[in-house]
PDB file of all heavy atoms in Angstrom:
ATOM      1  N   LEU A   7       4.474   5.430  -5.546  1.00  0.00           N
ATOM      2  CA  LEU A   7       4.561   5.399  -7.009  1.00  0.00           C
ATOM      3  C   LEU A   7       3.606   6.407  -7.643  1.00  0.00           C
ATOM      4  O   LEU A   7       3.953   7.096  -8.599  1.00  0.00           O
ATOM      5  CB  LEU A   7       4.256   3.988  -7.524  1.00  0.00           C
ATOM      6  CG  LEU A   7       5.378   2.945  -7.363  1.00  0.00           C
ATOM      7  CD1 LEU A   7       4.848   1.549  -7.640  1.00  0.00           C
ATOM      8  CD2 LEU A   7       6.552   3.259  -8.280  1.00  0.00           C
ATOM      9  N   VAL A  11       5.746   8.761  -9.775  1.00  0.00           N
ATOM     10  CA  VAL A  11       5.707   8.364 -11.189  1.00  0.00           C
ATOM     11  C   VAL A  11       4.464   8.899 -11.897  1.00  0.00           C
ATOM     12  O   VAL A  11       4.537   9.376 -13.026  1.00  0.00           O
ATOM     13  CB  VAL A  11       5.793   6.831 -11.324  1.00  0.00           C
ATOM     14  CG1 VAL A  11       5.758   6.411 -12.798  1.00  0.00           C
ATOM     15  CG2 VAL A  11       7.070   6.311 -10.663  1.00  0.00           C
ATOM     16  N   ILE A  15      -0.833   5.063 -12.097  1.00  0.00           N
ATOM     17  CA  ILE A  15      -0.342   3.781 -11.581  1.00  0.00           C
ATOM     18  C   ILE A  15      -1.485   2.994 -10.945  1.00  0.00           C
ATOM     19  O   ILE A  15      -2.211   3.495 -10.084  1.00  0.00           O
ATOM     20  CB  ILE A  15       0.768   3.997 -10.535  1.00  0.00           C
ATOM     21  CG1 ILE A  15       1.989   4.669 -11.152  1.00  0.00           C
ATOM     22  CG2 ILE A  15       1.156   2.665  -9.873  1.00  0.00           C
ATOM     23  CD1 ILE A  15       2.728   3.835 -12.160  1.00  0.00           C
ATOM     24  N   PHE A  31       2.710  -3.319 -11.500  1.00  0.00           N
ATOM     25  CA  PHE A  31       1.900  -2.124 -11.719  1.00  0.00           C
ATOM     26  C   PHE A  31       1.915  -1.713 -13.182  1.00  0.00           C
ATOM     27  O   PHE A  31       2.818  -2.068 -13.941  1.00  0.00           O
ATOM     28  CB  PHE A  31       2.402  -0.974 -10.837  1.00  0.00           C
ATOM     29  CG  PHE A  31       3.827  -0.573 -11.095  1.00  0.00           C
ATOM     30  CD1 PHE A  31       4.137   0.521 -11.889  1.00  0.00           C
ATOM     31  CD2 PHE A  31       4.880  -1.289 -10.539  1.00  0.00           C
ATOM     32  CE1 PHE A  31       5.454   0.896 -12.123  1.00  0.00           C
ATOM     33  CE2 PHE A  31       6.207  -0.916 -10.772  1.00  0.00           C
ATOM     34  CZ  PHE A  31       6.487   0.174 -11.568  1.00  0.00           C
ATOM     35  N   HIS A  33       2.516   0.620 -16.173  1.00  0.00           N
ATOM     36  CA  HIS A  33       3.355   1.756 -16.553  1.00  0.00           C
ATOM     37  C   HIS A  33       4.046   1.376 -17.849  1.00  0.00           C
ATOM     38  O   HIS A  33       4.498   0.239 -18.014  1.00  0.00           O
ATOM     39  CB  HIS A  33       4.385   2.052 -15.463  1.00  0.00           C
ATOM     40  CG  HIS A  33       5.111   3.353 -15.662  1.00  0.00           C
ATOM     41  ND1 HIS A  33       4.471   4.525 -15.950  1.00  0.00           N
ATOM     42  CD2 HIS A  33       6.443   3.646 -15.622  1.00  0.00           C
ATOM     43  CE1 HIS A  33       5.369   5.500 -16.066  1.00  0.00           C
ATOM     44  NE2 HIS A  33       6.566   4.982 -15.881  1.00  0.00           N
ATOM     45  N   GLN A  35       6.865   2.567 -19.315  1.00  0.00           N
ATOM     46  CA  GLN A  35       8.319   2.672 -19.457  1.00  0.00           C
ATOM     47  C   GLN A  35       9.005   2.426 -18.116  1.00  0.00           C
ATOM     48  O   GLN A  35       8.358   2.443 -17.066  1.00  0.00           O
ATOM     49  CB  GLN A  35       8.696   4.050 -19.988  1.00  0.00           C
ATOM     50  CG  GLN A  35       8.284   5.196 -19.093  1.00  0.00           C
ATOM     51  CD  GLN A  35       8.527   6.547 -19.752  1.00  0.00           C
ATOM     52  OE1 GLN A  35       8.613   6.647 -20.968  1.00  0.00           O
ATOM     53  NE2 GLN A  35       8.631   7.587 -18.944  1.00  0.00           N
ATOM     54  N   ALA A  36      10.294   2.202 -18.203  1.00  0.00           N
ATOM     55  CA  ALA A  36      11.058   1.922 -16.983  1.00  0.00           C
ATOM     56  C   ALA A  36      11.118   3.160 -16.093  1.00  0.00           C
ATOM     57  O   ALA A  36      11.216   4.289 -16.578  1.00  0.00           O
ATOM     58  CB  ALA A  36      12.470   1.480 -17.339  1.00  0.00           C
ATOM     59  N   CYS A  37      11.062   2.931 -14.802  1.00  0.00           N
ATOM     60  CA  CYS A  37      11.256   4.025 -13.846  1.00  0.00           C
ATOM     61  C   CYS A  37      12.738   4.394 -13.830  1.00  0.00           C
ATOM     62  O   CYS A  37      13.608   3.524 -13.944  1.00  0.00           O
ATOM     63  CB  CYS A  37      10.820   3.604 -12.447  1.00  0.00           C
ATOM     64  SG  CYS A  37       9.059   3.227 -12.294  1.00  0.00           S
ATOM     65  N   THR A  38      13.015   5.660 -13.678  1.00  0.00           N
ATOM     66  CA  THR A  38      14.412   6.089 -13.603  1.00  0.00           C
ATOM     67  C   THR A  38      14.966   5.766 -12.220  1.00  0.00           C
ATOM     68  O   THR A  38      14.212   5.557 -11.263  1.00  0.00           O
ATOM     69  CB  THR A  38      14.546   7.592 -13.865  1.00  0.00           C
ATOM     70  OG1 THR A  38      13.906   8.316 -12.799  1.00  0.00           O
ATOM     71  CG2 THR A  38      13.893   7.979 -15.186  1.00  0.00           C
ATOM     72  N   GLN A  39      16.288   5.756 -12.115  1.00  0.00           N
ATOM     73  CA  GLN A  39      16.916   5.512 -10.812  1.00  0.00           C
ATOM     74  C   GLN A  39      16.542   6.602  -9.809  1.00  0.00           C
ATOM     75  O   GLN A  39      16.351   6.325  -8.623  1.00  0.00           O
ATOM     76  CB  GLN A  39      18.440   5.435 -10.972  1.00  0.00           C
ATOM     77  CG  GLN A  39      18.929   4.191 -11.691  1.00  0.00           C
ATOM     78  CD  GLN A  39      18.518   2.923 -10.967  1.00  0.00           C
ATOM     79  OE1 GLN A  39      18.716   2.770  -9.750  1.00  0.00           O
ATOM     80  NE2 GLN A  39      17.922   1.998 -11.699  1.00  0.00           N
ATOM     81  N   GLU A  40      16.421   7.828 -10.280  1.00  0.00           N
ATOM     82  CA  GLU A  40      16.032   8.920  -9.388  1.00  0.00           C
ATOM     83  C   GLU A  40      14.611   8.710  -8.883  1.00  0.00           C
ATOM     84  O   GLU A  40      14.326   8.945  -7.700  1.00  0.00           O
ATOM     85  CB  GLU A  40      16.146  10.257 -10.123  1.00  0.00           C
ATOM     86  CG  GLU A  40      15.743  11.468  -9.287  1.00  0.00           C
ATOM     87  CD  GLU A  40      16.546  11.608  -8.001  1.00  0.00           C
ATOM     88  OE1 GLU A  40      17.716  11.170  -7.977  1.00  0.00           O
ATOM     89  OE2 GLU A  40      15.996  12.152  -7.018  1.00  0.00           O
ATOM     90  N   GLN A  41      13.705   8.259  -9.749  1.00  0.00           N
ATOM     91  CA  GLN A  41      12.333   7.984  -9.317  1.00  0.00           C
ATOM     92  C   GLN A  41      12.306   6.869  -8.275  1.00  0.00           C
ATOM     93  O   GLN A  41      11.593   6.982  -7.265  1.00  0.00           O
ATOM     94  CB  GLN A  41      11.477   7.597 -10.525  1.00  0.00           C
ATOM     95  CG  GLN A  41      11.118   8.748 -11.437  1.00  0.00           C
ATOM     96  CD  GLN A  41      10.355   8.311 -12.672  1.00  0.00           C
ATOM     97  OE1 GLN A  41      10.595   7.230 -13.210  1.00  0.00           O
ATOM     98  NE2 GLN A  41       9.446   9.153 -13.128  1.00  0.00           N
ATOM     99  N   LEU A  42      13.077   5.821  -8.511  1.00  0.00           N
ATOM    100  CA  LEU A  42      13.121   4.709  -7.556  1.00  0.00           C
ATOM    101  C   LEU A  42      13.685   5.159  -6.215  1.00  0.00           C
ATOM    102  O   LEU A  42      13.214   4.725  -5.154  1.00  0.00           O
ATOM    103  CB  LEU A  42      13.936   3.551  -8.125  1.00  0.00           C
ATOM    104  CG  LEU A  42      13.332   2.854  -9.349  1.00  0.00           C
ATOM    105  CD1 LEU A  42      14.284   1.788  -9.883  1.00  0.00           C
ATOM    106  CD2 LEU A  42      11.977   2.228  -9.013  1.00  0.00           C
ATOM    107  N   VAL A  45      10.915   7.088  -4.487  1.00  0.00           N
ATOM    108  CA  VAL A  45       9.889   6.153  -4.000  1.00  0.00           C
ATOM    109  C   VAL A  45      10.367   5.462  -2.730  1.00  0.00           C
ATOM    110  O   VAL A  45       9.644   5.378  -1.730  1.00  0.00           O
ATOM    111  CB  VAL A  45       9.548   5.117  -5.095  1.00  0.00           C
ATOM    112  CG1 VAL A  45       8.741   3.958  -4.509  1.00  0.00           C
ATOM    113  CG2 VAL A  45       8.773   5.782  -6.232  1.00  0.00           C
ATOM    114  N   GLU A 118      13.669  -3.237 -10.622  1.00  0.00           N
ATOM    115  CA  GLU A 118      12.462  -2.795 -11.318  1.00  0.00           C
ATOM    116  C   GLU A 118      12.616  -3.204 -12.767  1.00  0.00           C
ATOM    117  O   GLU A 118      13.643  -2.916 -13.390  1.00  0.00           O
ATOM    118  CB  GLU A 118      12.311  -1.277 -11.196  1.00  0.00           C
ATOM    119  CG  GLU A 118      10.983  -0.724 -11.726  1.00  0.00           C
ATOM    120  CD  GLU A 118      11.017  -0.344 -13.205  1.00  0.00           C
ATOM    121  OE1 GLU A 118      12.118  -0.403 -13.811  1.00  0.00           O
ATOM    122  OE2 GLU A 118       9.963  -0.009 -13.754  1.00  0.00           O
ATOM    123  N   ARG A 126       5.072  -3.320 -15.218  1.00  0.00           N
ATOM    124  CA  ARG A 126       6.380  -3.311 -14.574  1.00  0.00           C
ATOM    125  C   ARG A 126       6.307  -4.050 -13.241  1.00  0.00           C
ATOM    126  O   ARG A 126       5.221  -4.204 -12.668  1.00  0.00           O
ATOM    127  CB  ARG A 126       6.849  -1.875 -14.318  1.00  0.00           C
ATOM    128  CG  ARG A 126       6.751  -0.930 -15.482  1.00  0.00           C
ATOM    129  CD  ARG A 126       7.717  -1.238 -16.589  1.00  0.00           C
ATOM    130  NE  ARG A 126       9.111  -1.164 -16.144  1.00  0.00           N
ATOM    131  CZ  ARG A 126      10.135  -1.415 -16.959  1.00  0.00           C
ATOM    132  NH1 ARG A 126       9.934  -1.751 -18.226  1.00  0.00           N
ATOM    133  NH2 ARG A 126      11.375  -1.322 -16.506  1.00  0.00           N
ATOM    134  N   ILE A 128       8.302  -4.340  -9.397  1.00  0.00           N
ATOM    135  CA  ILE A 128       9.315  -3.945  -8.400  1.00  0.00           C
ATOM    136  C   ILE A 128       9.463  -5.082  -7.398  1.00  0.00           C
ATOM    137  O   ILE A 128       8.467  -5.592  -6.870  1.00  0.00           O
ATOM    138  CB  ILE A 128       8.915  -2.647  -7.680  1.00  0.00           C
ATOM    139  CG1 ILE A 128       9.138  -1.444  -8.597  1.00  0.00           C
ATOM    140  CG2 ILE A 128       9.720  -2.470  -6.391  1.00  0.00           C
ATOM    141  CD1 ILE A 128       8.759  -0.114  -7.983  1.00  0.00           C
TER     142      ILE A 128
END
Side-chain angles (χ1 to χ4, degrees):
L7 284 168
V11 180
I15 297 293
F31 60 99
H33 191 48
Q35 61 187 22
C37 296
T38 66
Q39 290 300 310
E40 179 58 29
Q41 286 176 325
L42 294 176
V45 167
E118 188 270 354
R126 311 291 299 179
I128 285 179

